[in-house]
Amino acid sequence: MSGFLGVLGGMGPAATADFLAKLVLMTPAASDQDHLPVIAQSIPTIPDRSSAILGQGPSPLPALTAGLARLRAAGCILAVMPCNSAHYWFDALAGTLPMLHIVDAVARSLRFQGIEGGPIGLLATGGTVAAGIYQDRLAGTGYDLVVPAPEDQVELVDPSIRAIKAGDLDGARVALRLALARLQTRGVGATVLGCTELPLVLRPEPAATHLLIDSTAALAQACVAALRDPVLGRAA
Amino acid sequence: MSGFLGVLGGMGPAATADFLAKLVLMTPAASDQDHLPVIAQSIPTIPDRSSAILGQGPSPLPALTAGLARLRAAGCILAVMPCNSAHYWFDALAGTLPMLHIVDAVARSLRFQGIEGGPIGLLATGGTVAAGIYQDRLAGTGYDLVVPAPEDQVELVDPSIRAIKAGDLDGARVALRLALARLQTRGVGATVLGCTELPLVLRPEPAATHLLIDSTAALAQACVAALRDPVLGRAA
């Protein structure tokens, strides 16, 4: 690889730091020099993506476009956005830099874990759910997305994501576990943490009967597969 | 603040992710938009700093200079290096961008914790210790640096730092605790984790009698003080 991986981040900044840590963790490396060269912009002033999708705030597209141009100018050859809701503008951003789509990364992670289809829970921002970012990208793949009831989305999930962004991780945990438990009663065997704030609070547990798919980790793994690991790369 | 905080990182990449996470944690913020805008380059191919200082490898200065120029071109107005050993080239890098020095940040953290002078332990790379990066910068401030015995540096500390960079955090912990315990027997009440890999393994504990000063956290706090928080800023 010549050139850098670009991270269009800051949505939110803790999720970006989490993504970078997972990228390091997932890269086979014996020393600093074995790791992927990355330029990450964490510019949290980008307008809120979920609000914009729901028509409640300004569009982040100009800031995303400027950020991607900045990453290209700095020498990046591939970019990712560790923010699910920002993928609403994925197609509008095409052309500046090649990008990996976070939903493709999640689908890859589902297959790796042996889940080939069927009902899958989705915990994400109201914007991601309403825009059908996962539903559209996974259409025809055999996965059937199960989203929280509208009142659970508004009363449990969205306030939890805002709490995490305000640094109140403990405050978010109980409400998120309740939303997750209600999804589980609807026949899903796995739930996608389809907002990169959520893995800061809910962690996949290896021995759990209900699988949690961490979209941040999935995106990091897709980057390693695309840029480094020949075995993972072939499986992608 | 207009313009971005630049992070000249990747030395190593896990330390850079840790720095970014601590920066988020230490910034008073109620939403994404309250956080500092950051551009971080994590380019781990920069030659090893400690080896270069000890005359055992190529100089990282050209790569550091290029990185700083890249950050300036991307819109950064202030830069930091979450790598203690890289500060050997701090003066040589002056002029491209204003920079905060990690030893100044550590000194500020020592004062905040009520340690005004006296013997202070230092766990750092062989390069940082040999070059006297801490000893020189703290000269005349009343702090007296106590470093590991040469054999402890070579047999315990340096291999531990290499192990952390190779992802073997557990493998490093026992040796580092032994090096730390030996420093403690020499009359120091606080020890600086003067390599940004070390806080990945040794964590300061609030109730501990022996204080550990995390240079990564200190640098993050200095950034917040310089760029955001008026109260902390005045105390800097």
Side-chain angles (χ1 to χ4, degrees), chain A residues 109-203:
Chain A
S109 183
L110 283 165
R111 288 195 305 273
F112 272 14
Q113 305 207 33
I115 303 166
E116 302 286 345
I120 299 290
L122 175 65
L123 286 181
T125 66
T128 293
V129 170
I133 293 174
Y134 272 81
Q135 296 89 327
D136 290 354
R137 192 86 181 177
L138 293 179
T141 59
Y143 295 110
D144 179 24
L145 272 301
V146 178
V147 303
E151 63 272 21
D152 285 357
Q153 182 69 42
V154 171
E155 292 170 6
L156 297 176
V157 184
D158 290 335
S160 293
I161 292 171
R162 282 195 296 275
I164 299 170
K165 285 179 182 292
D168 183 13
L169 274 59
D170 293 332
R173 200 167 285 120
V174 171
L176 285 172
R177 285 198 179 138
L178 177 57
L180 184 61
R182 289 188 178 164
L183 280 179
Q184 288 172 359
T185 64
R186 293 166 62 198
V188 305
T191 294
V192 174
L193 302 179
C195 165
T196 54
E197 306 293 333
L198 298 177
L200 300 171
V201 168
L202 299 175
R203 293 178 197 282

Side-chain angles (χ1 to χ4, degrees), chain A:
Chain A
M1 170 184 180
S2 65
F4 312 124
L5 171 65
V7 180
L8 192 54
M11 308 180 280
T16 297
D18 186 41
F19 171 78
L20 293 172
K22 284 170 178 165
L23 191 67
V24 173
L25 208 64
M26 287 169 182
T27 306
S31 71
D32 285 358
Q33 288 71 23
D34 292 337
H35 283 275
L36 294 172
V38 176
I39 297 182
Q41 75 158 49
S42 183
I43 302 189
T45 47
I46 293 182
D48 186 76
R49 286 67 57 199
S50 185
S51 300
I53 294 171
L54 299 172
Q56 297 162 358
S59 169
L61 183 58
L64 292 170
T65 306
L68 216 49
R70 190 182 293 115
L71 290 174
R72 188 185 53 184
C76 296
I77 55 165
L78 178 72
V80 290
M81 299 187 288
C83 168
N84 288 269
S85 304
H87 285 73
Y88 182 74
W89 294 273
F90 186 85
D91 292 337
L93 290 168
T96 305
L97 264 181
M99 295 177 77
L100 301 180
H101 197 296
I102 199 165
V103 177
D104 297 345
V106 164
R108 195 169 157 278
S109 183
L110 283 165
R111 288 195 305 273
F112 272 14
Q113 305 207 33
I115 303 166
E116 302 286 345
I120 299 290
L122 175 65
L123 286 181
T125 66
T128 293
V129 170
I133 293 174
Y134 272 81
Q135 296 89 327
D136 290 354
R137 192 86 181 177
L138 293 179
T141 59
Y143 295 110
D144 179 24
L145 272 301
V146 178
V147 303
E151 63 272 21
D152 285 357
Q153 182 69 42
V154 171
E155 292 170 6
L156 297 176
V157 184
D158 290 335
S160 293
I161 292 171
R162 282 195 296 275
I164 299 170
K165 285 179 182 292
D168 183 13
L169 274 59
D170 293 332
R173 200 167 285 120
V174 171
L176 285 172
R177 285 198 179 138
L178 177 57
L180 184 61
R182 289 188 178 164
L183 280 179
Q184 288 172 359
T185 64
R186 293 166 62 198
V188 305
T191 294
V192 174
L193 302 179
C195 165
T196 54
E197 306 293 333
L198 298 177
L200 300 171
V201 168
L202 299 175
R203 293 178 197 282
E205 288 165 29
T209 52
H210 189 85
L211 280 176
L212 292 181
I213 309 293
D214 173 344
S215 59
T216 309
L219 187 64
Q221 209 147 24
C223 290
V224 175
L227 294 170
R228 180 60 53 86
D229 192 296
V231 177
L232 283 173
R234 273 198 300 276

Side-chain angles (χ1 to χ4, degrees), chain B residues 7-61:
Chain B
V7 179
L8 192 53
M11 308 179 280
T16 297
D18 186 42
F19 171 79
L20 292 173
K22 285 170 177 164
L23 191 66
V24 174
L25 208 64
M26 287 169 182
T27 306
S31 71
D32 286 358
Q33 288 71 23
D34 292 338
H35 283 275
L36 293 172
V38 175
I39 296 182
Q41 76 159 49
S42 181
I43 301 188
T45 46
I46 294 181
D48 187 75
R49 287 65 58 197
S50 186
S51 300
I53 294 170
L54 299 172
Q56 296 161 359
S59 169
L61 183 58

Side-chain angles (χ1 to χ4, degrees), chain B:
Chain B
M1 170 186 181
S2 64
F4 312 124
L5 171 65
V7 179
L8 192 53
M11 308 179 280
T16 297
D18 186 42
F19 171 79
L20 292 173
K22 285 170 177 164
L23 191 66
V24 174
L25 208 64
M26 287 169 182
T27 306
S31 71
D32 286 358
Q33 288 71 23
D34 292 338
H35 283 275
L36 293 172
V38 175
I39 296 182
Q41 76 159 49
S42 181
I43 301 188
T45 46
I46 294 181
D48 187 75
R49 287 65 58 197
S50 186
S51 300
I53 294 170
L54 299 172
Q56 296 161 359
S59 169
L61 183 58
L64 292 171
T65 305
L68 216 48
R70 190 181 294 116
L71 291 175
R72 189 186 52 187
C76 296
I77 54 167
L78 179 71
V80 290
M81 298 187 288
C83 169
N84 288 268
S85 304
H87 286 72
Y88 181 73
W89 294 273
F90 186 85
D91 292 338
L93 290 168
T96 306
L97 265 180
M99 294 178 78
L100 301 180
H101 197 297
I102 199 165
V103 177
D104 297 346
V106 164
R108 193 169 158 279
S109 183
L110 284 165
R111 288 195 305 273
F112 270 17
Q113 305 208 34
I115 302 165
E116 302 286 347
I120 299 290
L122 176 65
L123 286 181
T125 66
T128 294
V129 170
I133 293 174
Y134 272 81
Q135 298 88 327
D136 289 355
R137 192 85 182 179
L138 293 178
T141 59
Y143 295 110
D144 180 22
L145 272 301
V146 179
V147 303
E151 62 274 19
D152 285 356
Q153 182 69 43
V154 171
E155 293 170 4
L156 298 175
V157 184
D158 290 335
S160 295
I161 292 171
R162 281 195 297 274
I164 300 170
K165 286 180 183 293
D168 183 14
L169 273 60
D170 292 333
R173 200 167 284 120
V174 170
L176 285 172
R177 285 197 179 138
L178 176 58
L180 184 60
R182 289 188 178 163
L183 280 179
Q184 289 173 359
T185 64
R186 293 164 63 196
V188 303
T191 294
V192 173
L193 303 179
C195 165
T196 53
E197 306 293 333
L198 299 176
L200 299 172
V201 169
L202 299 175
R203 292 178 197 282
E205 288 164 29
T209 53
H210 189 86
L211 281 175
L212 292 181
I213 310 293
D214 173 345
S215 60
T216 310
L219 187 64
Q221 208 147 27
C223 290
V224 175
L227 295 170
R228 179 62 53 87
D229 191 293
V231 176
L232 282 173
R234 274 198 299 276

